[in-house]
Amino acid sequence: MRYVIRGGAVLSMDPAVGDFAAADVLVEGKKIVAIAPSIDVRDAAVIEAKGSIVMPGFIDTHHHEFETALRSFLADGLLFNDGQPHGTVNYFDFILGKFAGVYRPRDVHISILFGSLSQLDAGVTAVLDVSQIHHSPEHTDAAIKGLADSGRRAALGYFEGHGDKTKYPDDARRVKTQYFSSSDQLLTMIMGGEIYLPGYDKTWRIGRELELPIATHVLGNFGIPKAFAERVQAKQIGPDNLFIHMTAMPDSAWKAVADAGAGVSIAVPIEMTMRHGAPPILKAMELAIEPSLSTDVECTMTADFFTQMRSMMTFQRGLVNDRALAGESGLPRLLSSRDVIRYATLEGAKHLKLDRKVGTLAPGKEADIILLDATAINVAPLNHVPGAVVTLMDRSNVDCVIVAGKVRKWRGRLLDVDLAALSRELESSRDYLFNAAGVDRNLFRS
Ligand SMILES: [Zn+2]
């Protein structure tokens, strides 16, 4: 397989490669071989890219894909019940308390597969699937099959499950040996090590024994700041940690993250709407920490990355602009469209330990590439490449999607999938889940 992506505006996100108003990208097998203004190849197929922006696929570092069947159910919900009428239907009581426990392996599979394909369609070529649904080894196998069946690059986040058949965390050894012994594949594994659950010392130990990165939700409540301080005290924070949210955490925790070179994944829209706390972008910038972006939960918000990037940029600028208007000096710099694209690509790759393979367009890297239509009615005429991506585009502009050299979306259509059949399966799973959880599916609940 050898083809050239011809004549697009190339936003490589790789400092050594740079930007091109028009260039060719040559792909051979899984890899990018060359990027140059004009590549003379006669024996390669051609993907015409004039009028398109050619850039690396987006990378989502925190997404609970098992909740795809519950999309839009919790659009107005908080993380927990605050005792007010708006708190009654909330994430802890409903999504985790009622729904998660009734999932069968087949529900895990179809939700993860459908959610993965939906993100692939939107140009998100890699994900950390934080699957807190490992009720049994069969649930784990189904989660991995869902990721594999999508043909997308993914890290299985091996987190906890519910009930007496769960084998978390000890089954991590089998899972690693059975599915993740090769590094030359689209799927990788990350250990879930929640510090609000008892026994986190053991989950972190197993993760490190298996040489897996460790991902952890970190919020300023549920006893997490105290547990985090204990991890710091025990010198357990390392560059293999990925901390999700980091909202409302004390400066001492941030210092430990910065000193260790650990990763931080921020879920801007979810943290604002579900009351995790303000997205900690200014704190991260103060310590020169570059975050990656999280879509988190589709029961409450879309998992597309245009929403992610726009939310991050406008939220940060809103905070800084208010302070500027109040006459403050010495302000943090304003985020630019290129900054948030870097969070959405290269920083995501770093945090999933995939930056050797993907995250930028460069010779030698695997070809995870998206083509965005800059001639579309919502974008034309093109006057600034990163700006058009962040401030104008949406998933309708994602024209072609390539994962490890393989074209998965072509001229606006996903390839090799029977979406009608998958939708029916997802709806049937949804019907079972609401029924088994005893939750009324009121389409107009206020
Ligand atoms: Zn989460």
Side-chain angles (χ1 to χ4, degrees):
M1 195 164 52
R2 179 173 154 90
Y3 56 86
V4 62
I5 302 168
R6 181 86 78 197
V10 176
L11 176 65
S12 75
M13 296 312 292
D14 196 303
V17 174
D19 306 318
F20 299 88
D24 298 344
V25 179
L26 180 63
V27 176
E28 268 182 27
K30 283 199 260 187
K31 291 194 172 169
I32 297 168
V33 179
I35 303 175
S38 180
I39 301 174
D40 183 21
V41 275
R42 268 146 251 190
D43 56 341
V46 173
I47 294 178
E48 186 51 61
K50 191 163 179 291
S52 291
I53 293 169
V54 180
M55 63 172 283
F58 302 118
I59 299 180
D60 181 356
T61 58
H62 162 226
H63 185 186
H64 303 268
E65 293 189 298
F66 74 90
E67 295 169 16
T68 308
L70 309 176
R71 276 175 166 175
S72 70
F73 171 77
L74 199 68
D76 302 329
L78 290 175
L79 195 53
F80 49 84
N81 191 352
D82 67 348
Q84 303 291 317
H86 61 224
T88 311
V89 181
N90 63 78
Y91 191 80
F92 272 89
D93 292 338
F94 279 74
I95 307 298
L96 297 182
K98 292 179 189 283
F99 284 112
V102 303
Y103 270 70
R104 304 161 298 179
R106 72 175 81 160
D107 304 306
V108 174
H109 175 262
I110 186 62
S111 266
I112 289 181
L113 172 56
F114 204 89
S116 295
L117 290 171
S118 169
Q119 274 199 313
L120 194 57
D121 183 64
V124 186
T125 49
V127 72
L128 167 57
D129 181 47
V130 179
S131 44
Q132 300 155 311
I133 202 77
H134 297 280
H135 306 337
S136 73
E138 292 71 34
H139 287 75
T140 304
D141 295 344
I144 296 165
K145 187 165 189 308
L147 296 173
D149 287 350
S150 76
R152 186 162 68 134
R153 198 177 298 279
L156 169 80
Y158 182 59
F159 281 70
E160 68 278 10
H162 301 273
D164 52 13
K165 293 204 181 91
T166 184
K167 292 278 187 290
Y168 172 87
D170 299 276
D171 199 34
R173 296 186 181 92
R174 171 192 72 93
V175 173
K176 168 94 193 289
T177 310
Q178 189 171 339
Y179 295 105
F180 302 97
S181 48
S182 166
S183 61
D184 187 24
Q185 58 182 30
L186 290 176
L187 298 190
T188 54
M189 180 175 177
I190 290 181
M191 189 73 188
E194 300 291 29
I195 56 174
Y196 60 84
L197 297 174
Y200 55 77
D201 198 53
K202 181 179 177 186
T203 61
W204 284 42
R205 207 168 51 240
I206 292 175
R208 284 182 170 145
E209 169 199 318
L210 297 175
E211 298 180 335
L212 300 171
I214 299 166
T216 311
H217 287 90
V218 178
L219 310 174
N221 42 21
F222 312 114
I224 290 174
K226 184 167 170 282
F228 197 97
E230 285 166 12
R231 298 271 84 189
V232 174
Q233 194 75 39
K235 299 192 168 23
Q236 291 293 311
I237 310 294
D240 57 348
N241 284 121
L242 175 59
F243 297 117
I244 298 163
H245 301 307
M246 283 296 290
T247 45
M249 287 296 284
D251 285 354
S252 55
W254 278 99
K255 185 178 181 306
V257 170
D259 288 350
V264 174
S265 175
I266 300 182
V268 177
I270 289 292
E271 288 157 10
M272 292 197 292
T273 196
M274 295 181 83
R275 204 177 284 172
H276 294 60
I281 180 60
L282 293 181
K283 178 52 78 176
M285 289 175 76
E286 190 186 312
L287 296 167
I289 293 172
E290 292 254 307
S292 57
L293 303 179
S294 293
T295 61
D296 206 347
V297 291
E298 277 192 284
C299 57
T300 304
M301 190 62 72
T302 176
D304 91 77
F305 253 56
F306 301 99
T307 300
Q308 282 292 319
M309 293 186 293
R310 267 197 282 283
S311 300
M312 175 60 97
M313 184 163 160
T314 53
F315 171 72
Q316 193 267 2
R317 293 172 71 102
L319 292 176
V320 176
N321 286 339
D322 242 8
R323 286 165 58 177
L325 290 170
E328 258 188 66
S329 56
L331 291 171
R333 70 182 176 83
L334 289 170
L335 278 187
S336 69
S337 45
R338 189 183 288 273
D339 289 327
V340 294
I341 293 175
R342 190 174 60 254
Y343 298 168
T345 55
L346 177 58
E347 293 307 322
K350 285 182 184 169
H351 292 171
L352 302 188
K353 309 301 179 197
L354 292 173
D355 51 311
R356 208 171 33 84
K357 284 189 178 180
V358 294
T360 67
L361 305 186
K365 281 203 172 179
E366 293 195 14
D368 285 14
I369 303 174
I370 57 176
L371 271 64
L372 305 174
D373 181 7
T375 66
I377 193 167
N378 61 325
V379 182
L382 181 61
N383 295 309
H384 189 267
V385 170
V389 173
V390 175
T391 66
L392 294 173
M393 287 190 168
D394 58 49
R395 63 184 299 146
S396 72
N397 302 112
V398 180
D399 190 39
C400 295
V401 179
I402 297 166
V403 176
K406 187 169 181 195
V407 178
R408 296 302 320 282
K409 184 181 187 181
W410 176 250
R411 301 301 181 225
R413 289 181 69 88
L414 273 184
L415 302 180
D416 309 323
V417 291
D418 183 349
L419 280 182
L422 293 175
S423 293
R424 283 195 297 276
E425 193 183 336
L426 183 65
E427 282 183 15
S428 142
S429 168
R430 184 273 318 272
D431 292 346
Y432 158 79
L433 291 169
F434 275 78
N435 193 34
V439 177
D440 179 30
R441 193 168 68 88
N442 176 355
L443 290 178
F444 299 98
R445 189 182 78 241
S446 52

